[in-house]
Amino acid sequence: MIEFPKVVALVATELRTEGVYMRYPFRIRIMDSCLYAMDLHASEYFCHRLDYPSMKYQRSLMRFGRAPGEYSDAENIRIDRHRRLWTLDANKRQLMAFTPGTDTLLCEIKLSEELIRPLDFDFYDDSTFIIPDYSGQHRICLVNREGEIVKRLFSVPTRKSHKADIPLAQAWRGFIDYNPTNHLLAIATQLGEVIELYNLKENKLLKVIYGKSGEPVYNTKEGYAIPDGIMGYSDVSVGRKHIYALFWGHTFKDMKKGLIKKEGGRILRVFDLKGNPVCQYLLDRHVTCFTVNEQTHIFTALDVNSNQPIVEYKLE
């Protein structure tokens, strides 16, 4: 069980917007004066750009559809050090980059068929991506700009006697974030209550942080993992000073009974770069994702339950 030396309750400030509707706001990124919000279940556009902090709507991009130039899926959005927006379409097995400012399509990278349905990505450097491995044999893959796997690293850190197969990898699905300045990769499990920390410069596991619910609980049926525990983390961020992770804690038992009325988590956990607990924030909203500005201590998040989903908190 994780014991935090400090627990703080926070109240959100709502950032009101016009001209933006999202069915399931799931990812948010801020770069300079641009805020990008991604809709996981978009009916028209997957991504919206707003001016920040005025929140004036600018444009929508990544139209949903099956025609050329349209997208069938968006799993995540990220901004590289050249201020280019990137996204991942898992159905098309493609990474796409857009030019800064105009957000026109710059390039497409077709991912190798060896990658089993890639569901997240991050930048290792300018020529290499980090993509989770869903074979069960490894934890992550390093992928080049041609979409080919150049290295497979680590293994699922289960303490139970599971086979290293696809259901294990599915149950251990993790949301990832990498900070190249400290070479720290964090993987936070969607099921269970586990955060893994890796040093990619030294290619070694640093620490596995287990919460009260422990590792993902699941059953296997027809080659798939059927969750049977809790919804755990839904986002993680590695900063220069701290690691931040958003935790839900909803049990599947309560969800099946209809006892959980809102989507998202209300617990933000903060660790130092060695994985030691620093602070736990109790939020007044259920949010699905976030971005943190460590200089201003502003935590910006998306509330999937609200018609005005963009909110901010001031961290201590």
Side-chain angles (χ1 to χ4, degrees):
M1 185 172 177
I2 309 168
E3 295 289 344
F4 288 88
K6 184 167 64 172
V7 178
V8 179
L10 297 179
V11 177
T13 298
E14 193 173 85
L15 303 185
R16 299 192 65 82
T17 63
E18 294 182 5
V20 176
Y21 169 72
M22 290 181 282
R23 295 172 64 189
Y24 200 99
F26 188 64
R27 286 292 179 258
I28 186 169
R29 307 291 176 195
I30 299 174
M31 172 65 77
D32 300 328
S33 63
C34 287
L35 183 151
Y36 292 94
M38 192 197 91
D39 187 353
L40 186 65
H41 301 315
S43 57
E44 191 171 4
Y45 288 95
F46 283 107
C47 190
H48 307 278
R49 188 181 79 196
L50 300 95
D51 179 74
Y52 181 81
S54 74
M55 304 310 296
K56 182 179 179 181
Y57 170 76
Q58 294 183 334
R59 64 168 298 185
S60 297
L61 58 152
M62 298 179 60
R63 177 185 283 276
F64 171 77
R66 306 293 179 182
E70 296 180 335
Y71 303 86
S72 61
D73 173 65
E75 297 291 341
N76 204 343
I77 54 174
R78 295 189 186 271
I79 302 173
D80 68 15
R81 67 185 188 92
H82 304 290
R83 292 173 168 75
R84 295 173 298 205
L85 178 74
W86 287 79
T87 189
L88 168 65
D89 186 330
N91 292 333
K92 290 186 175 182
R93 307 179 65 82
Q94 282 187 173
L95 285 167
M96 288 77 63
F98 300 85
T99 56
T102 64
D103 294 326
T104 55
L105 183 64
L106 179 65
C107 72
E108 296 178 332
I109 298 173
K110 190 71 174 179
L111 297 173
S112 168
E113 293 291 335
E114 293 184 52
L115 288 163
I116 299 175
R117 190 168 175 80
L119 295 176
D120 203 354
F121 75 102
D122 204 349
F123 312 107
Y124 178 71
D125 56 28
D126 281 349
S127 62
T128 311
F129 301 96
I130 304 165
I131 296 180
D133 185 316
Y134 284 98
S135 69
Q137 302 298 315
H138 300 89
R139 202 66 177 114
I140 62 167
C141 297
L142 299 184
V143 177
N144 64 20
R145 286 299 180 102
E146 286 70 49
E148 299 298 326
I149 299 171
V150 294
K151 187 178 290 187
R152 302 175 192 265
L153 294 169
F154 315 121
S155 59
V156 176
T158 178
R159 297 184 293 188
K160 299 180 180 179
S161 56
H162 293 297
K163 293 190 297 183
D165 55 10
I166 291 176
L168 176 69
Q170 291 173 337
W172 277 78
R173 177 189 177 176
F175 300 105
I176 69 172
D177 197 60
Y178 177 65
N179 190 325
T181 61
N182 49 39
H183 313 290
L184 188 61
L185 171 71
I187 304 178
T189 59
Q190 184 179 33
L191 306 178
E193 199 171 344
V194 183
I195 298 175
E196 305 154 53
L197 302 180
Y198 299 91
N199 184 307
L200 293 195
K201 183 179 181 180
E202 300 176 1
N203 285 344
K204 71 176 183 179
L205 173 65
L206 298 178
K207 189 171 187 177
V208 181
I209 306 168
Y210 292 97
K212 180 180 179 181
S213 296
E215 63 181 74
V217 178
Y218 69 101
N219 298 305
T220 302
K221 184 177 180 180
E222 297 178 355
Y224 292 92
I226 309 299
D228 189 24
I230 67 162
M231 285 289 288
Y233 296 97
S234 67
D235 205 359
V236 64
S237 177
V238 180
R240 290 176 178 267
K241 300 177 181 178
H242 295 102
I243 300 159
Y244 308 82
L246 178 65
F247 182 69
W248 293 29
H250 302 164
T251 69
F252 282 94
K253 182 178 180 181
D254 285 346
M255 287 189 284
K256 289 176 182 177
K257 290 180 178 179
L259 300 178
I260 305 299
K261 304 299 182 183
K262 293 187 176 182
E263 291 276 315
R266 292 183 56 195
I267 299 173
L268 175 66
R269 291 174 171 170
V270 182
F271 304 86
D272 65 22
L273 297 181
K274 294 182 179 180
N276 301 308
V278 173
C279 183
Q280 180 163 277
Y281 292 100
L282 306 179
L283 311 178
D284 67 332
R285 302 262 193 134
H286 290 78
V287 299
T288 53
C289 64
F290 65 90
T291 184
V292 177
N293 186 322
E294 288 191 316
Q295 292 183 321
T296 62
H297 305 287
I298 296 296
F299 171 83
T300 309
L302 292 177
D303 178 358
V304 71
N305 311 284
S306 173
N307 290 328
Q308 294 291 334
I310 305 176
V311 298
E312 284 191 341
Y313 295 90
K314 182 72 172 181
L315 304 182
E316 291 189 355

